[in-house]
Structure formats: C-alpha cells, structure tokens
Amino acid sequence: ELKVEQNPLFLSMQEGKNYTIYCNYSTTSDRLYWYRQDPGKSLESLFVLLSNGAVKQEGRLMASLDTKARLSTLHITAAVHDLSATYFCAFLPGTASKLTFGTGTRLQVTL
Amino acid sequence: DTGVSQDPRHKITKRGQNVTFRCDPISEHNRLYWYRQTLGQGPEFLTYFQNEAQLEKSRLLSDRFSAERPKGSFSTLEIQRTEQGDSAMYLCASSLTGTSDEQYFGPGTRLTVT
C-alpha cells in the first residue's frame, strides 16, 4: 500500500523559531513534492525534489530528499506569521502518475 | 492568467441530484488529474487522462462518477445521484510529461450535498 506519513500533524511555533517537518513514504521513489495550502484554498507548489540528496531552498523554507531512507524534510528557519498554512508532501512511486499525499502538517506561527 | 481553472468554485446541491464540474488545464499540458479532498485530509486521487485517454481510475471512483476529456483539452467530472458523503473539495491538476511531472492545481470546486 502506498502511504505517506507526515509528522507532526499540527505544529504551533513562535515567530523566529526553527523547526522541521518530516515526511516518510512507503516505497521507492525519487520524485517528491511539497505543497502549501491556505484555508479554503487550493495547493501551491513549493518544491520539486527529483534525486537522492536533492536540497532546495526558497526564503525561510528548505526541503531535502533522502531516497534511501524514504524521507523528506521541510525545514523552517526563523518562522514568520505568513508561513501559517497546511503543508503537504506527496510522492510519485516508480512510473506512477498519481500523487500520493500525506495527511498534512498544519503550521501555526504565533507572534 | 494561464493557470488551471475550475468551474464552478462552489456548488450546493440536494441529495440525489446530478452535478458536473469543469476543469481547464494549462494549455500545453497533456495530463489532467482529478483529486478529492475532505476536511483535514490530503487530496486523494480519483482519475487521470493523458490527452483524451483516461488511463487510470481509483477504486474511490464509484459507478456514479464519470469523467471525460473529449478533445484532450478541458475535462468534466460528473457525479450522479449525489450523496452526502460526496461533499468535498474536488481538485483538478495538470502536468506535462517529459518534465519534472510537477502537477499544478486549480482552485477547486467545493461541493456541498444537503
């Protein structure tokens, strides 16, 4: 069964703090995606990770992929309130075309 | 705006009625996907098309659901005899093969069945 586990499911953090969201997936894949979703809105693509050891950074967010451990991380540096949203990771196993999503991590950044 | 568009954005219907949603993908994208998302969950795959061919359907897609992409451009998703359990956000995405397989999502259609 294709599964993605994210943790934590909910994260409340103060502005200025750092934290990491973890995404474990169930089968071999070298295609991993991170999306952001604001309440009531659709998904916005954040990062596309396509190889073992891939690391991408945009602003205060950095994503990495370890295909051997089947693990991706999303690191938040010096969080700001605007980062409050739900973050999903999703992967494409093998030659599949359908994304399998995690349950999401709801991030709340407090002042 | 050249992103994925969906219509309508919101639909309220009574149980037992039929509803149809439309998705217009990014113009050069050959793949089109439908997902369903319920509150507090990640999106779940329903079906996808490559050009006009429907290549995969999830077992979540009961006989009451049908999707088409007649000319390989826009797609429609029809739900017949709606049930309260069909209430969800229906998301459409598109992608171009031969690239990163990145899927771009539309704004979604929120369906409420009363």
Side-chain angles (χ1 to χ4, degrees), chain A residues 31 33 35 37 40-43 45 48 50 88 92 97-99 101-104, chain B residues 31 33 35 37 40-43 45 48 56 89 91 100-103 105-107:
Chain A
R31 296 180 291 170
Y33 308 83
Y35 289 89
Q37 187 175 40
K41 305 289 186 184
S42 189
L43 285 88
S45 179
V48 177
L50 298 177
F88 291 97
L92 283 175
S97 298
K98 59 184 183 186
L99 285 169
F101 282 85
T103 49
Chain B
R31 287 188 170 177
Y33 312 79
Y35 292 85
Q37 186 179 26
Q41 300 297 316
F45 169 79
Y48 97 93
E56 189 171 351
M89 175 80 93
L91 294 164
S100 65
D101 294 311
E102 184 177 6
Q103 295 182 20
F105 283 80

Side-chain angles (χ1 to χ4, degrees), chain B residues 60-109:
Chain B
L60 291 175
L61 214 64
S62 77
D63 291 345
R64 296 184 297 105
F65 288 70
S66 62
E68 292 184 338
R69 193 182 183 198
K71 295 181 181 178
S73 57
F74 73 91
S75 173
T76 57
L77 177 69
E78 181 184 16
I79 309 173
Q80 296 184 323
R81 304 181 304 280
T82 52
E83 301 173 356
Q84 286 190 317
D86 297 331
S87 296
M89 175 80 93
Y90 290 84
L91 294 164
C92 176
S94 69
S95 71
L96 182 63
T97 51
T99 60
S100 65
D101 294 311
E102 184 177 6
Q103 295 182 20
Y104 296 84
F105 283 80
T109 294

